[in-house]
Amino acid sequence: MSVRATDSLLADIVTVSGISGSPKMVVLSVNPEAKQVTTVWFSSDNKAQQGTFPASSLDRVEVKAETAKKPAAAKSKASPKKK
C-alpha cells in the first residue's frame, strides 16, 4: 500500500514497493504539491544515502513495539527448616 505525501509521514520508516530487498529508509522531508518524499538510509558499506521518490512508490513499514517482559517476581527466602 503506497503512502500519501503529507507532513505526517515525516520520520516514518518506508521501503520502495517495487524493489525486492529494499532498504528501510527514514523520511526526511515531504513535498505534498509534487507528491515527492526525500528519504535517508544506510548502504551495505555503512554510508548514508539520500534519495527522493514518488510517494506512490513507497510503503510504510510497520514497526512493532518491543514486547516488554515483566520483571521476574522477587524470590522469597525459604523459611528455615524446623527440626
Side-chain angles (χ1 to χ4, degrees):
M1 182 171 130
S2 62
V3 297
R4 294 177 58 206
T6 63
D7 288 336
S8 65
L9 192 59
L10 291 174
D12 278 357
I13 300 172
V14 295
T15 59
V16 179
S17 56
I19 300 176
S20 63
S22 170
K24 292 179 181 171
M25 304 176 287
V26 178
V27 175
L28 291 178
S29 65
V30 178
N31 183 341
E33 294 163 3
K35 297 181 181 177
Q36 297 284 312
V37 178
T38 302
T39 63
V40 66
W41 68 96
F42 287 100
S43 65
S44 58
D45 59 351
N46 294 326
K47 292 186 180 177
Q49 305 289 313
Q50 188 171 339
T52 302
F53 302 91
S56 61
S57 70
L58 299 175
D59 288 328
R60 187 171 294 178
V61 174
E62 296 295 323
V63 179
K64 296 179 183 178
E66 292 186 32
T67 306
K69 293 183 179 180
K70 293 182 180 179
K75 294 182 180 179
S76 62
K77 292 184 178 180
S79 58
K81 293 183 181 179
K82 296 182 180 178
K83 293 184 182 180

